[in-house]
Amino acid sequence: MATDARHRLPLATERHERQCRWCRRPLSRYNNEPYCSACSRHVPAAPSPLPQVEPEVWKRLDVREALWARDFGRVCHLVRIGSSLRQSDMAELTGLSQAFLSMLESGVRRLTNIDKIVELLAGLNAPAELTGPMLQPPTAEGQPCGPSLTGRNEGWPA
C-alpha cells in the first residue's frame, strides 16, 4: 500500500480498497463484513440449519417408558434435553407452539388429540417401531398390538 511520506497515511486513491459486495460503495476499515451497514439490513441471511432430534435419544429406556405411558410432556422434555434443543426448536419441529410445549412439559396441559400426537411424534422423527403400537388400538384383552416399548412383556397400564 502506497503512503504519503510526510504523514504516513494511505493515499486517497487507496484509502478505500474494500467495497460492499452489493452496492460497491467503499467499506469502513472498521467493518469486517462484506456488506455496508445499509445493505446488510436487506441481504438475506444464510438459512440456519433446522434443529434435529438425536437418533440415540430414542434408544434410552426413560424415553421409551414415557412414550409407552403416553406421557408426552415427559417425552418432550427428555427428547429436548437429550438432543440439546430449546423449546422454540421443538416448536419449530413439531408445529406446536412454544407456550403449549412449556405447559405440556410442566404438566399443566395434556396432549390427548390423536392428530396432535401424530404431529408431535412425526416432527420429532420418532421411529415407527416405537410409535406403531401406541397409535394402534389395543386388542380385546387390552394388550397392545405390537411389541412392548420397554422390551418387557406387559400390557397397557390399567
Side-chain angles (χ1 to χ4, degrees):
M1 172 186 262
T3 58
D4 184 359
R6 290 177 288 160
H7 301 294
R8 300 278 185 221
L9 296 173
L11 294 176
T13 57
E14 296 181 16
R15 192 171 287 159
H16 300 288
E17 22 185 80
R18 291 187 332 114
Q19 295 178 343
C20 173
R21 285 187 187 167
W22 185 259
C23 68
R24 311 307 282 165
R25 290 196 175 110
L27 292 174
S28 165
R29 65 179 172 186
Y30 303 108
N31 182 350
N32 294 327
E33 304 298 321
Y35 300 102
C36 65
S37 62
C39 291
S40 65
R41 284 179 243 151
H42 304 290
V43 174
S48 58
L50 284 176
Q52 293 182 341
V53 174
E54 297 293 328
E56 294 79 32
V57 168
W58 300 109
K59 296 175 184 173
R60 293 179 37 190
L61 184 61
D62 54 350
V63 173
R64 289 172 174 252
E65 287 176 343
L67 191 56
W68 183 72
R70 298 182 187 186
D71 186 354
F72 298 109
R74 183 155 168 73
V75 169
C76 285
H77 179 75
L78 292 170
V79 167
R80 183 172 64 82
I81 298 302
S83 297
S84 301
L85 297 173
R86 300 172 301 190
Q87 284 182 343
S88 58
D89 295 333
M90 295 281 286
E92 187 177 340
L93 288 171
T94 63
L96 301 173
S97 72
Q98 181 273 327
F100 182 79
L101 287 169
S102 175
M103 291 185 282
L104 186 65
E105 284 188 17
S106 66
V108 174
R109 298 284 303 267
R110 291 188 50 103
L111 191 59
T112 57
N113 184 326
I114 190 70
D115 294 330
K116 294 292 183 186
I117 293 171
V118 170
E119 188 178 341
L120 171 79
L121 295 175
L124 295 178
N125 256 352
E129 63 267 10
L130 296 182
T131 60
M134 183 188 61
L135 298 178
Q136 295 175 0
T139 62
E141 298 84 34
Q143 297 292 324
C145 294
S148 170
L149 296 174
T150 60
R152 300 182 208 141
N153 292 328
E154 46 189 55
W156 294 114

